[in-house]
Amino acid sequence: MPYRIVKRKDLIPGQTVLMVVDAPMIAEKARPGNFVILRVNDHGERIPLTIADRDPAAGTITIVFLVVGKSTALLATLQEGEDILDVCGPLGRPTHIEKRKAVICVGGGTGIAAMHHIAKGHHEAGNRVVAVIGARNKDLLLFCDELGSFCPEVLVATDDGSRGHKGFVTEVLRKRLEEDKDIEEVVAIGPVPMMEAVAKVTKPFGVKTTVSLNSIMVDGIGMCGACRCTVDGHVRFACVDGPEFDGHAVDFQELRMRLGQFRCEEKQSFDQFKARS
Amino acid sequence: MNEKTKTPKKPKTPRTPMPEQPPFVRARNFLEVTLGYAAEQAALEASRCLQCKTPLCRKGCPVEIDIPGFIARLRAGDRDGAYAVLRQTNSLPAVCGRVCPQEVQCEGSCILGKKGEPVAIGRLERYVADSFAAENGCMQLTGQATCSLPREIRVACIGSGPSSLTVAGYLSALGVKVTVFEALHELGGVLIYGIPEFRLPKDVVRREVDAMRALGVEFKTNWVGGRTILVRELLDQGFDAVFIGVGAGLPRFMDIPGESLIGVYSANEYLTRVNLGRAYAFPEYDTPVTRGRHVAVFGGGNVAMDAARTALRLGAESVHIVYRRTKGEMPARREELEHALEEGVKLEILANPLRYNGDENRRLVSVTLERQKLGEPDASGRRSPAPTGETFDLPIDTAIIAIGTRPNPILLESTPELKLSKRGYIEVDPETGETSIPGVYAGGDIVTGAATVISAMGAGRRAARSIAGKFIGEDAVR
Ligand SMILES: Cc1cc2nc3c(=O)[nH]c(=O)nc-3n(C[C@H](O)[C@H](O)[C@H](O)COP(=O)(O)OP(=O)(O)OC[C@H]3O[C@@H](n4cnc5c(N)ncnc54)[C@H](O)[C@@H]3O)c2cc1C
Ligand SMILES: Cc1cc2nc3c(=O)[nH]c(=O)nc-3n(C[C@H](O)[C@H](O)[C@H](O)COP(=O)(O)OP(=O)(O)OC[C@H]3O[C@@H](n4cnc5c(N)ncnc54)[C@H](O)[C@@H]3O)c2cc1C
Ligand code: SF4
Ligand code: FES
């Protein structure tokens, strides 16, 4: 069954791409927090990407990815009307959504896209959602309009101050937690250092904090243990036990190290790809 | 007991050796280690069989292949007839000839083994399957007349390992429409992602799958049972029966310090990267694996042997298999253990890891082992190891943990009505393979825990038989 790309858009040229992909079975089942594992072609690697949105009526899912290496660069070369060879999902446990007075959803960089689906889930459950998003500058902010369509507030932080608060999302978050006592949960998706910093900020407030771990995966169905991470001192498999975990219990240092385990091989592969194209 | 077999004479002809790549050559390539019999070698070996009236070998075979029957046809020069006999009870003869532990099954029971060496039944099985396939296209492979059924009967298999493939092969030959749903992008289960190319070439598995496709089996990859589709939905969509053959994939770790260091792999990850991801051909293929220089593999089964021999082929300078007991207790097929040793794998027996040690970048640099001694035999009859307190370090940059698996949770969690055993595997009626959900069957590693290809196939056959009996009629059951 072909997984056709029905829409493709450069959100940030040369860097971040959005694709709407025909995958009716996955679209029907996908919940916020789920991801897919895809393979571009028959020499390709299996890579996980979050389902940033779904349209069950149209039978499509949306993925948004940052070009960081060979596989994402290869995926980015595909155009509308072309097919992705394999798309498998929906994988991972969906976000655990409880009735809350108010929830803050924090997104950083490409993570904003993934966060968007979770924020939507909280909104649909009747929770008041405050979105906090951050990027280096205003041109790199994603999904502002989408978030604005259902979040009463979208707070912005940019490193250069080109929009919103000048500085980090964690500063906006801390201020908000101090002022808004209705916040019962914080969800953070983005680069590992950002999620780690968010967990540090929320800790003294005692607010439940959910982070989504992007550990390296192979099968995504619990058969290899590549994605294992330490949560509360126990080994957990991000693909079947997660990818969302209690941010206060995650060993972020280990996650950072494990994400770098194939750095030499990845560089070799990407360099070769760039040289060829 | 049969008259003729009571006093086996010492056989005149010795067992025909299997041609192999020399160890020093094969230890650095991924080509198949054993090359297979030529026609003359097969004929010679077949001539050793005594054609016992009460063949012990057949009792030793979990799917009861008519062993003297196929050997007789081979002897008579009727290779196609021999193949037909194999296919009567075994849907994957080319695979079984390669990976079954014959020494404890058919060959372990062969009467000739009492005084000398048993008939090389596995090698003959492989010869028949390979040479038949070489000469006959897929169409002929599956030229079995499929009977037309009074109404369309549809069966879904979840997972595409040997248990499901057996269900599919058996039922489709009876005219049942079988659809196989596999989570990964390739079909064959452990035969594809676990057992390496040099032991079971992927083309052999593909050929068997193609044969089933030609019989009308529909294969759907990237379908995760319990995620993309639920068992309940399959029944609601009109499948008459569902067979669950999802294997027992979740790797076990030992829960000792340092297991998440970089360089520590589960055998499943290591082998999946290399086999399914073709990491041996990185960067031509995109999936990477670190090429360790000093590798230790923990465990003593087939999985440990495969991981160790794979590490050698990826260029390791030293590969140790670390095992708590001694060589005699290792559960691996003998042939695999011997092949591994010939290729240069070293054994570190009576040793158990206490912790993995890393550098400041959390990269593995050594493992601390504790010397064991053998105590009294345990429940499994094997003497259990006991710690001695003496410890030592083995410098390694790659550790591969092959100490077993647990049931994969995805399908089980999404199907809470399934009754599970205490150990967390699916409980089935031992006669029929039916689970606690009517119309839903299960078999293979997800029922027994990690076992063998042939036992998974036996379970598939049992389930297929009861499905056929129930939906087609008792007379359909072979
Ligand atoms: C559950 C989950 C959801 C994710 N969702 C998104 C998303 O929505 N958008 C997005 O841009 N990225 C997402 N990622 C990260 C994405 O999978 C990686 O960026 C991608 O695999 C990189 O592949 P590459 O070949 O382009 O880069 P490489 O050069 O191979 O690697 C670059 C970095 O990406 C990471 N990585 C490499 N291979 C894998 C792998 N097989 N699995 C996971 N990480 C890997 C490593 O940290 C590596 O250093 C997600 C990861 C996980 C685990
Ligand atoms: C490295 C290794 C070497 C081995 N060597 C030998 C040997 O030499 N001889 C021998 O007899 N045995 C050997 N075994 C054991 C043997 O391979 C297994 O016992 C046998 O394959 C089990 O078959 P199965 O049908 O139960 O499932 P598996 O072969 O485990 O296949 C299960 C399939 O189901 C798929 N799956 C899992 N979850 C889902 C889901 N939710 N939805 C859809 N699909 C799913 C998996 O991707 C997989 O493809 C070895 C095992 C390993 C790992
Ligand atoms: S293979 Fe061995 S046990 Fe079987 S019929 Fe021949 S001699 Fe007898
Ligand atoms: S990716 Fe293999 S177990 Fe999670």
Side-chain angles (χ1 to χ4, degrees), chain A residues 5 39 81 91 94 103 108 122 146 157 193 202 208 219 226 254 258:
Chain A
I5 299 165
R39 213 164 63 109
L91 299 171
V103 176
H122 275 287
E146 287 87 345
T202 59
K208 181 179 162 88
D219 57 286
E254 176 186 282
R258 285 187 62 82

Side-chain angles (χ1 to χ4, degrees), chain B residues 262-420:
Chain B
I262 299 175
V264 182
Y265 290 94
S266 75
N268 270 12
E269 178 183 355
Y270 192 74
L271 291 170
T272 303
R273 284 183 178 280
V274 177
N275 296 325
L276 184 71
R278 316 279 192 276
Y280 58 84
F282 180 87
E284 188 200 331
Y285 284 83
D286 293 342
T287 304
V289 69
T290 43
R291 299 191 170 222
R293 285 176 58 202
H294 301 285
V295 180
V297 179
F298 300 85
N302 284 324
V303 185
M305 302 302 140
D306 283 345
R309 298 171 71 196
T310 298
L312 269 187
R313 283 162 175 75
L314 289 174
E317 287 165 31
S318 74
V319 179
H320 284 89
I321 288 184
V322 179
Y323 186 57
R324 291 186 302 160
R325 311 177 205 235
T326 63
K327 198 172 147 188
E329 280 90 12
M330 288 191 170
R333 286 177 89 211
R334 281 299 102 170
E335 183 181 89
E336 306 316 327
L337 175 58
E338 276 151 29
H339 277 155
L341 296 174
E342 283 168 16
E343 288 164 15
V345 170
K346 298 189 196 77
L347 295 186
E348 185 60 67
I349 53 161
L350 289 171
N352 201 33
L354 290 182
R355 66 173 174 275
Y356 300 98
N357 309 304
D359 63 11
E360 67 284 3
N361 295 318
R362 291 209 189 183
R363 279 189 184 272
L364 177 69
V365 292
S366 70
V367 57
T368 303
L369 301 173
E370 181 174 23
R371 195 47 83 207
Q372 309 285 303
K373 62 172 190 289
L374 280 191
E376 291 307 305
D378 67 5
S380 69
R382 293 186 301 180
R383 296 176 65 195
S384 48
T388 62
E390 178 201 335
T391 66
F392 58 105
D393 280 6
L394 184 67
I396 49 171
D397 54 30
T398 304
I400 304 171
I401 303 174
I403 56 159
T405 50
R406 287 184 292 143
N408 187 309
I410 289 193
L411 185 105
L412 306 184
E413 281 178 7
S414 73
T415 322
E417 318 91 279
L418 269 182
K419 189 153 178 263
L420 304 183

Side-chain angles (χ1 to χ4, degrees), chain A residues 3 25 29 39 42-46 70-71 74 85-93 216 218-219 221-226 228 230 237 240 251 253-254 257-258 260-262 265 268-269 272, chain B residues 183-185 193 221-224 227-230 233 249-251 253 259-262 264-266 268-269 272-273 276 282-290 360-363 408-410 413:
Chain A
Y3 303 92
M25 287 306 298
K29 291 281 159 50
R39 213 164 63 109
D42 67 352
H43 280 39
E45 182 182 9
R46 297 171 65 90
K70 158 90 189 259
S71 300
L74 184 67
L85 182 61
D86 295 301
V87 181
C88 174
L91 299 171
R93 286 183 205 267
I216 292 182
V218 180
D219 57 286
I221 56 170
M223 298 199 318
C224 76
R228 66 192 186 276
T230 304
F237 288 4
V240 285
D251 182 341
Q253 198 208 347
E254 176 186 282
M257 295 291 187
R258 285 187 62 82
Q261 57 180 306
F262 297 107
E265 290 82 4
Q268 183 191 358
S269 185
Q272 197 184 62
Chain B
L184 296 176
H185 59 261
Y193 77 77
T221 48
N222 301 319
W223 282 67
V224 188
R227 287 284 157 85
T228 323
I229 193 136
L230 304 175
E233 290 170 324
L250 196 84
F253 288 90
E259 274 185 320
S260 290
L261 289 171
I262 299 175
V264 182
Y265 290 94
S266 75
N268 270 12
E269 178 183 355
T272 303
R273 284 183 178 280
L276 184 71
F282 180 87
E284 188 200 331
Y285 284 83
D286 293 342
T287 304
V289 69
T290 43
E360 67 284 3
N361 295 318
R362 291 209 189 183
R363 279 189 184 272
N408 187 309
I410 289 193
E413 281 178 7

Side-chain angles (χ1 to χ4, degrees), chain A residues 31-35 50-54 93-98 103-107 111-131 143 147 150-151 185-190 195 210-213 243-245:
Chain A
R31 297 286 171 277
N34 284 146
F35 62 93
T50 307
I51 300 172
D53 209 350
R54 64 167 190 145
R93 286 183 205 267
T95 308
H96 182 75
I97 294 178
E98 270 179 60
V103 176
I104 297 184
C105 291
V106 187
I112 304 173
M115 178 275 264
H116 155 263
H117 201 201
I118 296 170
K120 207 169 169 182
H122 275 287
H123 166 73
E124 280 164 6
N127 297 341
R128 174 162 67 90
V129 181
V130 179
F143 277 69
L147 284 167
F150 60 84
C151 296
E185 182 172 347
V186 172
V187 180
I189 303 190
M195 293 193 285
T210 303
V211 295
S212 180
L213 303 189
E244 292 174 12
F245 292 103

Side-chain angles (χ1 to χ4, degrees), chain B residues 39-94:
Chain B
E40 310 76 60
Q41 291 166 310
L44 184 63
E45 187 58 25
S47 73
R48 296 180 62 229
C49 173
L50 303 179
Q51 292 290 307
C52 307
K53 287 244 175 57
T54 318
L56 300 176
C57 53
R58 189 170 184 179
K59 294 218 180 66
C61 172
V63 295
E64 292 172 37
I65 293 182
D66 177 4
I67 293 165
F70 99 79
I71 295 181
R73 286 186 181 62
L74 186 59
R75 280 216 301 224
D78 176 13
R79 197 261 338 267
D80 292 6
Y83 184 76
V85 173
L86 288 176
R87 281 294 287 229
Q88 267 170 22
T89 54
N90 187 327
S91 307
L92 307 166

Side-chain angles (χ1 to χ4, degrees), chain B residues 13-17 19 36-48 74-75 77 79 123-124 127-128 131 135:
Chain B
T13 358
R15 188 168 149 113
T16 317
Y37 279 162
E40 310 76 60
Q41 291 166 310
L44 184 63
E45 187 58 25
S47 73
R48 296 180 62 229
L74 186 59
R75 280 216 301 224
R79 197 261 338 267
R123 295 171 185 175
L124 290 177
Y127 167 77
V128 170
S131 75
E135 281 173 35

